[in-house]
């Protein structure tokens, strides 16, 4: 990988993109940016309020513009949103950097997301663990091909600290 390429973390909601991104940024002495947080700061609105005000299509447009604008910078470590790679134009942008796909099993995702579902508009209807599990399973089936288009895939079901050590040998 070239030294100043951005590093993009991709994966389903709850796969640990922000946690791993922060640890990686510290280890590599790079700036970390969480794409959702970047959008919230620019739009002066939470992701939940944004979904309510412009709907999912409006959010996707803003998300693509934010990704595009960050891609003009270098040396960043960026945690993307779970849906970011599910758009052709976004994938072209991601391909200009190094992309790491964080894979998690269904149980891990369900457990992690059950407690944080109130901040994630796509999960509002998942008021039981069974509904959440089914939503994750069916959405992952649809998104799998988008996530798997990238070369570096790592499992992140357990400790993110251990994962960082193996990642540092890869990139
Ligand atoms: C989304 C994931 C969220 C956020 C938005 C939509 C998705 O980001 O961008 O709620 O489509 O999977 P995280 O993956 O950081 O939760």
């Amino acid at each position: 990988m070239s030294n100043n390429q951005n590093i993009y973390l991709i994966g389903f909601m709850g796969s640990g993109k922000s946690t791993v991104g922060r640890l990686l940024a510290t280890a590599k002495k790079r700036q970390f940016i969480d794409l959702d947080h970047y959008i919230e700061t620019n739009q002066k609105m939470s992701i939940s309020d944004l979904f309510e005000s412009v709907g999912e299509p409006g959010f996707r447009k803003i998300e693509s513009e934010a990704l595009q604008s960050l891609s003009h910078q270098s040396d960043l470590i960026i945690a993307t949103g779970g849906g970011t790679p599910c758009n052709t134009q976004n994938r072209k942008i991601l391909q200009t950097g190094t992309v790491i796909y964080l894979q998690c099993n269904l149980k891990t995702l369900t457990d992690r997301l059950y407690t944080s579902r109130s901040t994630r508009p796509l999960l509002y209807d998942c008021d039981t663990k069974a509904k959440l599990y089914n939503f994750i399973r069916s959405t992952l089936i649809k998104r799998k091909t988008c996530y798997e288009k990238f070369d570096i895939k790592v499992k992140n079901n357990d400790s993110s600290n251990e994962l960082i050590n193996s990642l540092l040998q890869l990139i």
Side-chain angles (χ1 to χ4, degrees), residues 24-89:
L24 207 53
T26 305
K28 292 189 79 73
K29 298 190 172 49
R30 291 225 201 165
Q31 187 187 347
F32 169 73
I33 293 189
D34 178 285
L35 185 61
D36 280 347
H37 187 248
Y38 178 81
I39 293 171
E40 290 179 329
T41 307
N42 285 342
Q43 300 294 319
K44 301 183 180 60
M45 214 185 268
S46 70
I47 298 297
S48 299
D49 289 345
L50 207 51
F51 261 72
E52 207 173 303
S53 127
V54 295
E56 186 173 350
F59 169 75
R60 295 299 173 200
K61 191 166 172 283
I62 292 167
E63 183 183 40
S64 293
E65 287 163 3
L67 182 70
Q68 173 88 54
S69 115
L70 287 173
S71 71
H72 297 310
Q73 297 183 47
S74 51
D75 283 319
L76 301 176
I77 299 199
I78 301 170
T80 63
T84 311
C86 306
N87 163 298
T88 314
Q89 190 52 37

Side-chain angles (χ1 to χ4, degrees), residues 10-145:
I10 65 163
F12 204 79
M13 292 174 263
S15 57
K17 301 179 294 279
S18 302
T19 306
V20 171
R22 272 195 196 91
L23 291 169
L24 207 53
T26 305
K28 292 189 79 73
K29 298 190 172 49
R30 291 225 201 165
Q31 187 187 347
F32 169 73
I33 293 189
D34 178 285
L35 185 61
D36 280 347
H37 187 248
Y38 178 81
I39 293 171
E40 290 179 329
T41 307
N42 285 342
Q43 300 294 319
K44 301 183 180 60
M45 214 185 268
S46 70
I47 298 297
S48 299
D49 289 345
L50 207 51
F51 261 72
E52 207 173 303
S53 127
V54 295
E56 186 173 350
F59 169 75
R60 295 299 173 200
K61 191 166 172 283
I62 292 167
E63 183 183 40
S64 293
E65 287 163 3
L67 182 70
Q68 173 88 54
S69 115
L70 287 173
S71 71
H72 297 310
Q73 297 183 47
S74 51
D75 283 319
L76 301 176
I77 299 199
I78 301 170
T80 63
T84 311
C86 306
N87 163 298
T88 314
Q89 190 52 37
N90 290 355
R91 283 201 297 277
K92 282 197 186 132
I93 295 174
L94 295 175
Q95 270 150 4
T96 62
T98 298
V99 181
I100 300 167
Y101 169 29
L102 297 184
Q103 289 176 309
C104 283
N105 63 43
L106 269 168
K107 187 182 179 313
T108 304
L109 290 176
T110 309
D111 289 344
R112 284 186 193 160
L113 289 172
Y114 193 66
T115 47
S116 60
R117 65 193 189 286
S118 61
T119 56
R120 291 179 161 106
L122 296 181
L123 306 181
Y124 285 167
D125 293 337
C126 302
D127 52 358
T128 64
K129 268 205 173 182
K131 278 193 205 167
L132 181 60
Y133 181 93
N134 285 331
F135 172 83
I136 298 171
R137 192 179 52 182
S138 58
T139 310
L140 259 180
I141 291 170
K142 289 184 224 145
R143 291 186 171 180
K144 209 168 146 43
T145 50

